[in-house]
Amino acid sequence: MFAATAEDLSNPCNAKIEGKPSEMPPQSCATAIDTAKAARQKAILYFSWAYSLNEAGAALQALPSLDKAVALAPNFINALHERSYTLGELGYYDRALIDSSRVIELTPNNASAYQERAFVRYNLADFEGSPADRLKQAELGGSNDGIEIEIVKALMWLGRYDEAAKRLNPLPMTDGDKAIRADLERRRQFKPDGNEAKRCDFQESVSDRAAAQKLVDDCTRAFDHEREPTKRAWYLTVRAPMKVVALQDRDVNVEDLRIAVALDPHNPQRHINYGNALVGVRHSWAARNEYELALAAPNLSKRDRAYVLAGRGRARANLGDIAGGKSDATASFEIEPSEANIWLAGDLAFEDGERDTARKMWMQVYRMGVRDDSLFKSLKSVGVDDPEKEPK
């Protein structure tokens, strides 16, 4: 986001939001929109309400009002900028790129617009364009916080490790960049041991941390050496779960899977993997988008369709759309029963207070071989402390 002008916010639609945010504006704002005569004034009111929603962390609810603001005033800089930010938050990076580029076209000296576009380009795997925008941001007097680190991260994706180190080494050591420094040094010290690409081209799980780290290193170098986008996306897809094992952190796979989507956008499996990662970090609106992109793919297999519907059902349930979650879970189960849709059905039964049904569903998932911490936590919530002792 950015600092909006007083003119754009001094109106009834700039509201402090209490409780659960709603897409619909309060009555005073709705009345102001209805009675405003000029399109520009209506646009300012829609923008102000959307800005209030974004301040409350409700990007999903803010987007419709920003769409209306831009439709009413296509060159309204603040609305375009805010919509670019909102689309980026929601994972609609292609659309965010259009808006941020339009803001730069209209205001070439807008440092905030370059900052926003750098973020979007990074997530679209444009690792040449993103640093260029960061440098322009700095040149125009924008905030320097984190610019060098973001450039370093982009250079690392390009495999330009010595250049990245040259930028990183003079920076003060912070807790936030310790992991980046360690990763950069590991990559610079990597010594090939045979064919890294061949070792990375596998589909088996690894649970040992040292073995997982070795595969991370191999896949990283295979990615660096490969130029074909779909193959690069595959190396990231293999590397992502290995990073989780090596670092013992469930969230470290998200970025790899996002970049894999950017490199191979027409492969539904990339969207499925990224959607699963997003659900894991509770970024459910972006996950829903990825599942819908997968569902639209003409080459989606029957089994994958069942899996995607279960994933979208979970995302919808997380967003409060319980009916939609149930509908997807049912449709998924009718195609093919799986641990994903049975687990979701158990969660939804628990939401409805059907504890016995939830316990049966969750135990079925356990017996299908799932050993996830969140499943054990769910089972404990219905009185199952040791699943092995449960009667079949």
Side-chain angles (χ1 to χ4, degrees):
M1 294 212 300
F2 68 108
T5 64
E7 174 196 2
D8 291 336
L9 294 178
S10 58
N11 59 63
C13 293
N14 181 31
K16 184 176 180 181
I17 297 174
E18 305 285 353
K20 187 176 181 181
S22 168
E23 179 183 315
M24 301 304 296
Q27 188 57 51
S28 58
C29 174
T31 299
I33 291 170
D34 289 341
T35 56
K37 293 183 172 59
R40 168 78 180 190
Q41 186 56 39
K42 284 183 183 287
I44 288 174
L45 293 166
Y46 276 122
F47 161 77
S48 297
W49 174 238
Y51 188 90
S52 299
L53 287 166
N54 273 331
E55 286 284 294
L60 191 64
Q61 291 87 347
L63 184 57
S65 288
L66 289 167
D67 286 340
K68 291 172 184 174
V70 174
L72 288 162
N75 293 334
F76 182 11
I77 301 296
N78 283 355
L80 283 166
H81 191 116
E82 190 74 5
R83 189 170 70 172
S84 175
Y85 163 82
T86 305
L87 289 165
E89 282 290 290
L90 296 173
Y92 297 113
Y93 299 112
D94 290 331
R95 292 176 59 192
L97 179 63
I98 294 171
D99 278 356
S100 57
S101 295
R102 179 61 177 155
V103 173
I104 289 171
E105 180 185 341
L106 294 169
T107 55
N109 295 323
N110 188 330
S112 294
Y114 282 100
Q115 179 179 356
E116 186 59 42
R117 193 171 71 174
F119 166 78
V120 172
R121 281 179 152 180
Y122 183 93
N123 283 285
L124 288 171
D126 180 2
F127 300 119
E128 298 281 2
S130 180
D133 279 348
R134 291 289 181 187
L135 291 171
K136 189 67 175 178
Q137 172 194 343
E139 177 190 321
L140 293 170
S143 169
N144 284 318
D145 291 346
I147 285 181
E148 287 296 319
I149 289 293
E150 293 302 319
I151 293 174
V152 165
K153 287 165 61 179
L155 290 171
M156 289 172 67
W157 277 107
L158 293 168
R160 288 153 58 178
Y161 301 130
D162 290 342
E163 188 179 345
K166 188 175 180 180
R167 283 189 171 274
L168 183 61
N169 289 339
L171 301 180
M173 176 69 79
T174 67
D175 289 340
D177 67 26
K178 281 181 180 177
I180 295 172
R181 289 176 184 272
D183 188 28
L184 175 56
E185 191 56 29
R186 185 177 189 92
R187 296 189 193 190
R188 292 180 76 201
Q189 298 299 322
F190 178 83
K191 290 182 173 54
D193 178 21
N195 189 334
E196 313 97 77
K198 186 175 181 180
R199 280 196 296 271
C200 188
D201 196 3
F202 87 120
Q203 299 188 50
E204 296 178 5
S205 61
V206 173
S207 57
D208 178 74
R209 292 184 68 176
Q213 183 60 65
K214 182 68 171 68
L215 274 167
V216 168
D217 294 339
D218 287 336
C219 290
T220 299
R221 191 50 56 95
F223 176 88
D224 290 344
H225 288 167
E226 182 61 56
R227 297 273 63 87
E228 203 279 312
T230 58
K231 193 65 177 177
R232 300 187 92 204
W234 169 248
Y235 291 144
L236 294 180
T237 302
V238 175
R239 187 176 77 170
M242 294 303 98
K243 287 172 74 174
V244 172
V245 176
L247 300 175
Q248 296 292 288
D249 183 346
R250 292 184 62 182
D251 299 348
V252 295
N253 61 346
V254 176
E255 186 172 67
D256 274 5
L257 297 175
R258 166 62 226 162
I259 301 305
V261 165
L263 292 168
D264 190 16
H266 302 299
N267 186 331
Q269 198 62 51
R270 304 288 173 253
H271 295 285
I272 294 170
N273 293 335
Y274 184 45
N276 293 343
L278 289 168
V279 165
V281 296
R282 304 291 287 190
H283 200 343
S284 296
W285 53 81
R288 184 180 62 184
N289 178 45
E290 295 304 316
Y291 289 130
E292 287 174 354
L293 288 168
L295 285 169
N299 56 337
L300 190 66
S301 70
K302 181 179 177 182
R303 171 168 286 187
D304 279 346
R305 181 170 295 278
Y307 194 79
V308 174
L309 285 168
R312 189 179 69 173
R314 185 169 294 283
R316 293 172 80 174
N318 290 347
L319 292 168
D321 180 8
I322 303 301
K326 286 182 176 179
S327 175
D328 278 348
T330 300
S332 174
F333 192 85
E334 287 173 350
I335 295 171
E336 182 178 336
S338 71
E339 69 240 24
N341 50 45
I342 296 170
W343 192 346
L344 174 60
D347 290 352
L348 294 171
F350 186 79
E351 287 285 333
D352 283 344
E354 300 172 10
R355 291 169 60 87
D356 286 343
T357 300
R359 181 178 58 77
K360 290 175 184 175
M361 294 287 186
W362 290 334
M363 279 303 305
Q364 188 173 345
V365 174
Y366 176 83
R367 290 180 181 125
M368 293 172 81
V370 175
R371 298 295 184 267
D372 190 275
D373 288 344
S374 60
L375 177 62
F376 290 125
K377 185 176 179 181
S378 295
L379 285 167
K380 279 183 177 291
S381 72
V382 290
V384 179
D385 292 322
D386 185 352
E388 288 298 320
K389 294 181 179 179
E390 284 292 296
K392 294 185 179 180

